[in-house]
Amino acid sequence: MESETAGRVNWPYGNSRTAALIRDFDWSRTSLGNIETWSQALKTVVDLILVSCFPMVVLWGRDLIQIYNDGYIGIAGDRHPEAMGQAARSYWPDTWHINASICDRVLQGETISLAGQSILEAHDRSRAENSFTLCYNPLRGVAGGIEGLLLTVIGTPSDYVVESGLWEGEGRYRQISEALPQIVWSSDASGNVDFFNSRWFAYTGLRGDEGYSAGWKRTIHPDERSHTLETWSQALRTGTPFEVEYRLRRADGSYRWHMDRAVPVYDAQGNVVRWFGTLTDIDDRRRAEEALRESEERFRQFAENSSAVLWVLDVETMRLEYLSPSFQQVWGEPLDVVPRDFAKWIQSVHPDDRDDVVAALARVRQEGEVIVKEYRVVRPDGTVRWVQNTGFPILDERGKVRRVAGIAQDVTKHDGSMVYVVDSNEASRQNLSLLLQGAGYQVKTFSSGQAFLDVAPVLVPGCVVLDLHAPEAGELTILRELKTRRIGLPVVVVGEAHGNVAFGVQAMKAGALDFLDVPYEQKQLLDAVASAQASIRDIAERDQAAELAKARIAALSAREREVLERLLTGGTNKTIARDLDISPRTVEAHRARIMERLGAQSLPELVQIAMAAGLKQGSRSMSDADR
């Protein structure tokens, strides 16, 4: 069985006039693009119409580009061959006012049959008017959406058609089917398959009568059999094109994914008289899609757990397609308000650095270089951050830069000397600020708890000094909010407890690192702030270890993560193998790779690393056999 990518250079196959015309036509001039880039859905439909003895034309894409078979040449008349590859709207202006509404209905999913339609057919140098039935069917693309329509012209073939050999029926169909790389089949109106080309028997290993309808059903993978047969039954009931993907058993017992597509053929009264279909091997495509989904999942996990900012820029629209969540922490703006237009986003870069950033981006776009650049960004609160940005090109299938992606890291040196003073009393706020600045700290003041909470998620690490002048007013809410939002800024509370020890206890329970009752010695406050700064450094070290663990876990494959999760719940090699339907030896191999990638020497160390990354250990105990 050849794969779907085989023989593209000589596609479409066959010696018919329209097959040759399609091969030689410059499709890059149309909205369909180069023929090598056409979807498998479109190529399969073209294969089907080229072997049909009925006049057929496909209208595909946003411009409804025409692709037709030899049977349609007589109807196209003197507009052939120029009609090939033309947009239906512009090429048939004299009748488009009639066809437009029909096409719109079909593109909405409706199947339409119009009997008794008079059409002039070309007969060498003359034309004769004949009566036909016109059948319109919607055509779906790979993603399932309607991307075009199929017009089938049904009627008694003219003398021209008979004499020119276009009406050769079953024999011609069978001959051409052997030239196609797919499995080709046909059935009667009831769905009884009575023809397969030789590729079917070579692939399945079936022989004789067992290879037809009953054999087809048996070769479908059990997981997809019910859905496939129901979809086929529905197509038979409605007379609409059939399309489904399923795994097909090969002669050696293995399964490969195939796309099964079929279109109905109608008689003059609009009744389905036959079905023509193809089975295309898409196993390589499905595996590539699965690998892509797994890769995207790894990227998502890495991006969501990384302190670095990951970004992707479309170089044609100059819009940011993606920004990872850590952007808010570095740039100080929520993702939902960040301008995605590059011309607006560049305004966040320090004015002295903008030209260099634009020039660096141009080098990536035009020369495909990988650029590492440091520059400053100005946050909405006026603070400045240094960012190291690594930008690199993403190429399209023609080798041109289609997107630029990058990783931006905050390289601002934080020495842990930032203190945030939250105090509603202006005189007290100024005194605290002067005291702390005199001790060498950088100080930023806030006149209300709400003003502080609004920007707390994007503040650089530092200590908070919260002065409560009216405990009864519920100012401990600030502490509770910080705890609820998981904002890890240590807080030193100063306030007038008036000897009420319970108030200090409440502050500590709410999340305060220390509580100082007014009046207090200046040294007490400075000692408390120094202790808070030390805790910041400890937290930073733990966060760095957790960040490393998260990044390593995000790099694991989906299967390795499944094994890791079960190890954390106390699973043994045997129980994990049973859960995942794999062998214990495979589990052992995954386990060894997990230990190596996470840098763990033992299972307890692996558990510690996983818990540092935020994964939870299960309640089941781990036996010695697991160690």
Side-chain angles (χ1 to χ4, degrees):
M1 165 70 60
E2 298 180 33
S3 70
E4 61 175 326
T5 60
R8 281 183 174 173
V9 174
N10 298 319
W11 185 86
Y13 306 96
N15 298 319
S16 67
R17 285 185 285 174
T18 47
L21 180 59
I22 293 170
R23 284 194 297 268
D24 297 337
F25 191 83
D26 183 7
W27 294 97
S28 64
R29 295 182 299 160
T30 74
S31 58
L32 299 184
N34 290 325
I35 196 169
E36 293 85 358
T37 66
W38 287 7
S39 69
Q40 186 58 53
L42 174 55
K43 296 176 79 171
T44 301
V45 171
V46 172
D47 281 336
L48 289 172
I49 70 169
L50 289 178
V51 300
S52 175
C53 52
F54 290 98
M56 288 184 170
V57 57
V58 173
L59 306 182
W60 192 272
R62 66 174 185 270
D63 296 328
L64 295 180
I65 300 298
Q66 299 180 142
I67 308 170
Y68 53 86
N69 64 0
D70 281 16
Y72 195 80
I73 291 176
I75 295 173
D78 55 11
R79 300 197 185 198
H80 171 76
E82 288 76 14
M84 184 71 75
Q86 301 299 321
R89 291 183 178 90
S90 59
Y91 206 74
W92 303 93
D94 49 340
T95 58
W96 188 247
H97 65 286
I98 299 173
N99 292 328
S101 60
I102 297 175
C103 290
D104 287 342
R105 289 166 58 191
V106 176
L107 292 174
Q108 293 297 317
E110 187 175 349
T111 296
I112 298 176
S113 178
L114 303 176
Q117 303 298 303
S118 296
I119 298 178
L120 286 175
E121 264 195 299
H123 299 252
D124 293 329
R125 298 181 180 178
S126 64
R127 295 176 68 86
E129 187 173 292
N130 290 308
S131 178
F132 293 91
T133 296
L134 305 183
C135 297
Y136 297 82
N137 297 97
L139 297 174
R140 298 186 181 275
V142 175
I146 296 175
E147 296 191 23
L149 60 92
L150 173 66
L151 167 60
T152 304
V153 182
I154 302 170
T156 303
S158 66
D159 293 338
Y160 167 75
V161 176
V162 173
E163 291 170 2
S164 63
L166 295 180
W167 191 275
E168 297 176 359
E170 194 79 6
R172 181 175 180 271
Y173 171 76
R174 292 176 182 241
Q175 290 176 4
I176 294 178
S177 72
E178 294 299 329
L180 298 177
Q182 298 107 325
I183 293 172
V184 180
W185 60 272
S186 65
S187 78
D188 61 21
S190 300
N192 298 309
V193 179
D194 52 20
F195 171 75
F196 280 112
N197 66 354
S198 61
R199 294 182 182 276
W200 165 261
F201 299 100
Y203 178 86
T204 62
L206 298 175
R207 294 291 180 268
D209 293 341
E210 68 169 346
Y212 290 95
S213 289
W216 168 63
K217 295 175 183 178
R218 289 198 305 270
T219 57
I220 301 172
H221 193 283
D223 291 350
E224 290 93 44
R225 187 175 297 153
S226 176
H227 171 69
T228 299
L229 297 180
E230 174 57 34
T231 304
W232 177 227
S233 296
Q234 183 177 359
L236 293 173
R237 289 194 301 270
T238 60
T240 55
F242 165 70
E243 179 182 320
V244 68
E245 293 182 7
Y246 55 84
R247 284 168 289 180
L248 191 67
R249 190 178 68 235
R250 202 157 53 177
D252 61 5
S254 62
Y255 285 87
R256 289 181 65 83
W257 281 97
H258 282 70
M259 175 190 290
D260 199 345
R261 295 173 64 94
V263 294
V265 175
Y266 302 88
D267 61 16
Q269 287 72 45
N271 300 313
V272 175
V273 294
R274 194 149 193 81
W275 289 83
F276 293 104
T278 60
L279 276 161
T280 303
D281 187 330
I282 59 169
D283 197 74
D284 293 340
R285 191 201 81 191
R286 290 284 298 229
R287 291 178 185 274
E289 290 173 349
E290 179 62 30
L292 179 61
R293 282 193 293 270
E294 184 172 308
S295 176
E296 290 175 343
E297 176 61 18
R298 289 188 196 177
F299 173 81
R300 184 192 65 79
Q301 292 179 11
F302 176 78
E304 291 184 357
N305 292 285
S306 175
S307 60
V309 179
L310 280 68
W311 56 271
V312 179
L313 175 73
D314 185 317
V315 299
E316 291 187 1
T317 63
M318 292 302 288
R319 292 185 61 81
L320 288 163
E321 291 184 338
Y322 177 78
L323 280 174
S324 63
S326 54
F327 180 89
Q328 178 172 330
Q329 180 68 27
V330 179
W331 261 258
E333 287 187 282
L335 283 175
D336 56 356
V337 301
V338 175
R340 296 304 175 107
D341 183 82
F342 179 79
K344 295 179 180 178
W345 172 86
I346 194 66
Q347 300 303 313
S348 67
V349 176
H350 194 284
D352 294 343
D353 299 336
R354 287 175 192 165
D355 290 343
D356 288 344
V357 172
V358 172
L361 178 61
R363 287 171 60 189
V364 180
R365 292 177 58 194
Q366 298 167 9
E367 302 175 26
E369 293 186 33
V370 176
I371 300 294
V372 180
K373 183 71 180 175
E374 288 193 7
Y375 56 88
R376 291 162 291 180
V377 295
V378 182
R379 292 152 54 96
D381 62 2
T383 59
V384 175
R385 294 279 185 94
W386 276 98
V387 172
Q388 183 184 75
N389 198 8
T390 302
F392 53 90
I394 298 178
L395 308 181
D396 62 16
E397 64 275 3
R398 293 168 293 181
K400 294 184 178 181
V401 177
R402 178 68 180 84
R403 294 175 175 82
V404 175
I407 302 173
Q409 294 179 300
D410 185 353
V411 294
T412 309
K413 296 188 181 298
H414 304 297
D415 56 8
S417 62
M418 179 63 73
V419 178
Y420 303 104
V421 174
V422 183
D423 192 339
S424 60
N425 183 281
E426 183 176 359
S428 174
R429 190 167 66 246
Q430 289 180 349
N431 289 335
L432 283 172
S433 179
L434 289 173
L435 171 63
L436 294 166
Q437 287 174 341
Y441 292 107
Q442 300 178 59
V443 179
K444 185 173 182 60
T445 61
F446 297 88
S447 59
S448 71
Q450 189 58 52
F452 167 71
L453 289 173
D454 287 342
V455 297
V458 296
L459 294 176
V460 300
C463 169
V464 180
V465 175
L466 176 62
D467 196 337
L468 302 181
H469 293 277
E472 67 278 4
E475 289 183 333
L476 289 178
T477 302
I478 297 174
L479 289 166
R480 298 189 183 98
E481 275 294 309
L482 289 175
K483 194 172 183 179
T484 300
R485 300 185 190 181
R486 298 182 179 179
I487 300 172
L489 299 176
V491 181
V492 175
V493 176
V494 297
E496 299 180 13
H498 304 293
N500 183 0
V501 177
F503 177 66
V505 172
Q506 290 176 7
M508 300 292 282
K509 285 185 176 180
L513 184 69
D514 204 346
F515 175 78
L516 300 179
D517 194 2
V518 177
Y520 55 84
E521 297 289 335
Q522 291 184 352
K523 185 177 183 304
Q524 288 179 286
L525 177 60
L526 296 177
D527 287 346
V529 170
S531 177
Q533 298 290 359
S535 73
I536 291 173
R537 288 187 286 272
D538 291 340
I539 293 171
E541 291 177 1
R542 290 197 300 271
D543 287 347
Q544 185 176 10
E547 191 72 29
L548 179 60
K550 288 179 181 179
R552 288 176 173 175
I553 290 175
L556 296 176
S557 68
R559 178 64 83 191
E560 288 168 346
R561 284 181 61 86
E562 289 177 333
V563 172
L564 174 60
E565 289 166 358
R566 284 162 175 78
L567 285 173
L568 295 179
T569 60
T572 66
N573 289 347
K574 290 182 178 179
T575 60
I576 295 173
R578 185 173 61 249
D579 289 347
L580 301 180
D581 195 22
I582 56 179
S583 70
R585 182 172 295 180
T586 301
V587 174
E588 182 61 35
H590 283 309
R591 177 169 163 172
R593 284 196 295 271
I594 293 169
M595 301 276 282
E596 180 182 357
R597 292 185 179 185
L598 299 189
Q601 301 300 316
S602 64
L603 189 58
E605 186 178 356
L606 178 66
V607 171
Q608 290 179 351
I609 293 172
M611 293 180 67
L615 298 182
K616 295 182 179 180
Q617 184 178 4
S619 58
R620 286 185 293 171
S621 62
M622 286 168 286
S623 67
D624 292 337
D626 290 321
R627 295 177 172 84

